[in-house]
Amino acid sequence: MSRLPLVAIVGRPNVGKSTLFNRLVGKRLALVDDRPGVTRDRREGDATLLGVDFRVIDTAGFEEDDPQTLPGRMRAQTQAAVREADVALFLIDSRAGVVPLDEEIARWLRSEDTPVVLVANKAEGRAGDAGLYEAFGFGFGDPVPLSAEHGEGIADLFEALLPHIDREDTDEEQGDEEEAADAPLKLAIVGRPNAGKSTLVNRMLGEDRMITGPEAGITRDSIAVDWQWQGRAVRLIDTAGLRKKAKVEDKLEKLSVADALHAVDFAEVVVLLLDATKGLEAQDLRIADRVLQEGRALIIALNKWDVAENASSLFQGVRGALDEGLAQVKGLPLLTVSAATGKGIDQLLQVAFETREAWSRRVSTGQLNRWFEAAVEKNPPPAPGGKRIKLRYLTQAKTRPPGFVLFGTRVDQLPESYRRYLVNGIRRELGFGAVPVRLTLRAPKNPYGR
């Protein structure tokens, strides 16, 4: 197993190192007091920021003393921690401003090979402005304004740390992905009443597990059935038919519709079954939109294909209507099946497993930003009012569904069309296909905006 990236917090006594340590690890592991020198030993803890795991080292306050004295031995421990670390967080007290000991620590850090992120702590309010200005003189780039005590500026700290702590997929992540791939595929079958959902489930299982018939709305509960397809585990969820609210008059049917929507919440992949003899209706698009809003991977299946008329034009018509009506996710898988004969079911299940794999996919920040830099260079963001929107970098914060965070300045002015350009590029060029992709925009706080 690969070790987690190491982040060492360094600085002179009483600048808030242990407070930041506690904030990052989410626990009160380090003692905090107004007196300097409370921390003597190196203390370590695990931290997670926006889905990135790393290990934090809280070090003793850096002091000038003979190596044989207690403060001198504490300083040696701090130096050892920095040399082991992937990045050092150099904390100063922005309210007190830069003092001679801060300058000595900066000189020492510049002599080391470890990358440094400069953090101006205690920056809440205007009292820390002077310290922020002074900190630029260290030559470590823009200082990150932070209040470790109040949690302000943590997103900006994450932005500064990320290039140093995010790695290519670790063994642990690969293990998680393999474990997810071996887990049962949670597959929900949804659609309007009488689209043939229960018939399709029965054909998959090879038994009359669900009651079927010409009457619409026979299935009233969402029923989960564990099953094997070609040696791979599947949990099938057959649901009540979804129809327009205006037609949902019977109380029991209202409960059935709610249960079907509940089933979507617990599924990984949702198959929206259409009746090929009736084509695509507005209600089908509403169901599809609801599935995508819930962040589930979606497949469209045209059932009763064995009795469909003008099959080619019908398929092209449904394809065009889907791309127009669900413009946020173009290219959804559109398959043809016959629940009555079983034709197309194996292909449907194969696509469902492939779609779940894309839905669970994680891309390393390195690979992601190589693509991102090329995408921005090819099509730079606009400059509304003559002011350039600067996009810094992109990171994947979560999977299932894939979620990304875009850091930059003036991102609140980024047009929706450019946002779609990035999302479509992520889907098309990074292997996410037509699964829902979330993109969150994040701008660092301007410490001088006040």
Side-chain angles (χ1 to χ4, degrees):
M1 184 188 298
S2 301
R3 75 167 178 86
L4 289 175
L6 282 176
V7 176
I9 305 173
V10 299
R12 62 183 174 83
N14 214 29
V15 292
K17 297 185 297 299
S18 294
T19 304
L20 178 58
F21 174 83
N22 287 340
R23 173 71 61 182
L24 291 174
V25 301
K27 300 175 186 174
R28 198 173 174 82
L29 296 180
L31 294 177
V32 176
D33 192 82
D34 288 338
R35 291 170 299 168
V38 173
T39 301
R40 289 180 172 175
D41 296 305
R42 290 160 56 180
R43 184 176 281 101
E44 298 188 20
D46 291 334
T48 300
L49 278 179
L50 286 177
V52 178
D53 298 321
F54 55 99
R55 194 156 180 80
V56 188
I57 308 173
D58 180 24
T59 66
F62 195 94
E63 299 186 60
E64 291 183 279
D65 273 285
D66 186 283
Q68 302 306 314
T69 64
L70 176 59
R73 295 197 301 275
M74 289 157 56
R75 173 172 168 162
Q77 283 287 315
T78 298
Q79 290 173 325
V82 167
R83 286 164 189 154
E84 286 177 24
D86 295 281
V87 59
L89 286 183
F90 173 26
L91 252 66
I92 66 163
D93 182 338
S94 62
R95 288 185 302 199
V98 173
V99 301
L101 186 51
D102 292 325
E103 293 173 345
E104 177 173 345
I105 296 170
R107 280 195 296 273
W108 163 64
L109 286 171
R110 282 194 293 268
S111 71
E112 298 288 337
D113 294 328
T114 306
V116 176
V117 171
L118 177 59
V119 180
N121 192 26
K122 307 182 186 180
E124 62 273 17
R126 299 184 63 92
D129 286 0
L132 274 170
Y133 294 131
E134 292 176 6
F136 276 94
F138 288 133
F140 293 126
D142 292 0
V144 178
L146 181 80
S147 172
E149 184 175 357
H150 301 289
E152 297 174 11
I154 291 294
D156 301 332
L157 177 63
F158 173 77
E159 180 184 358
L161 275 177
L162 193 64
H164 307 291
I165 62 175
D166 190 73
R167 297 178 171 171
E168 303 293 322
D169 292 339
T170 62
D171 297 339
E172 198 171 345
E173 285 173 336
Q174 290 170 359
D176 290 343
E177 288 175 9
E178 289 170 8
E179 187 177 333
D182 292 337
L185 168 67
K186 295 173 185 172
L187 185 67
I189 314 290
V190 303
R192 285 180 286 117
N194 218 24
K197 297 183 297 298
S198 295
T199 304
L200 178 63
V201 171
N202 285 342
R203 174 62 63 176
M204 287 176 170
L205 299 175
E207 58 177 295
D208 291 337
R209 176 66 175 75
M210 306 297 174
I211 302 173
T212 62
E215 304 87 356
I218 290 178
T219 301
R220 283 179 167 159
D221 297 316
S222 296
I223 301 169
V225 181
D226 289 320
W227 173 62
Q228 291 274 329
W229 173 74
Q230 296 185 1
R232 304 178 76 175
V234 180
R235 172 162 288 184
L236 279 171
I237 306 168
D238 182 32
T239 61
L242 303 179
R243 59 174 72 178
K244 292 179 183 177
K245 284 186 178 178
K247 294 184 179 180
V248 182
E249 296 165 355
D250 180 72
K251 182 180 178 183
L252 183 57
E253 189 171 358
K254 286 183 181 179
L255 293 172
S256 300
V257 171
D259 193 53
L261 296 175
H262 187 62
V264 168
D265 293 340
F266 286 92
E268 295 170 326
V269 179
V270 176
V271 174
L272 172 55
L273 202 63
L274 308 182
D275 185 336
T277 63
K278 296 179 181 177
L280 181 72
E281 295 187 4
Q283 177 68 353
D284 296 315
L285 289 174
R286 280 191 284 271
I287 296 170
D289 187 59
R290 173 60 188 265
V291 171
L292 294 171
Q293 284 179 17
E294 293 297 323
R296 301 298 175 263
L298 178 63
I299 296 171
I300 312 294
L302 279 163
N303 189 26
K304 308 180 185 178
W305 195 245
D306 51 319
V307 294
E309 298 179 1
N310 301 317
S312 178
S313 59
L314 170 64
F315 187 90
Q316 294 304 323
V318 171
R319 172 85 277 166
L322 285 171
D323 287 345
E324 184 179 343
L326 300 170
Q328 74 272 33
V329 185
K330 286 191 176 181
L332 283 168
L334 175 61
L335 306 173
T336 59
V337 297
S338 170
T341 67
K343 189 171 183 180
I345 289 178
D346 282 342
Q347 184 190 7
L348 175 66
L349 287 160
Q350 181 63 42
V351 170
F353 274 101
E354 291 170 358
T355 301
R356 181 181 71 166
E357 186 178 339
W359 186 67
S360 309
R361 180 172 168 73
R362 177 175 289 281
V363 177
S364 72
T365 299
Q367 180 187 354
L368 189 59
N369 281 283
R370 284 190 291 274
W371 167 82
F372 175 64
E373 288 167 11
V376 171
E377 185 178 347
K378 181 181 178 182
N379 181 16
K387 293 184 177 179
R388 193 162 64 96
I389 297 174
K390 185 176 181 182
L391 303 182
R392 294 185 177 178
Y393 65 91
L394 194 63
T395 183
Q396 185 172 1
K398 64 186 290 291
T399 62
R400 305 164 67 87
F404 299 85
V405 181
L406 172 61
F407 292 91
T409 55
R410 286 188 283 278
V411 289
D412 57 322
Q413 299 176 42
L414 196 67
E416 183 59 33
S417 58
Y418 197 87
R419 191 170 176 160
R420 280 199 302 271
Y421 162 70
L422 292 176
V423 168
N424 290 337
I426 289 170
R427 286 200 185 97
R428 184 177 58 251
E429 298 178 40
L430 295 176
F432 289 94
V435 300
V437 168
R438 306 280 194 256
L439 180 62
T440 304
L441 307 181
R442 185 73 57 80
K445 291 179 182 176
N446 181 358
Y448 314 112
R450 297 188 293 265

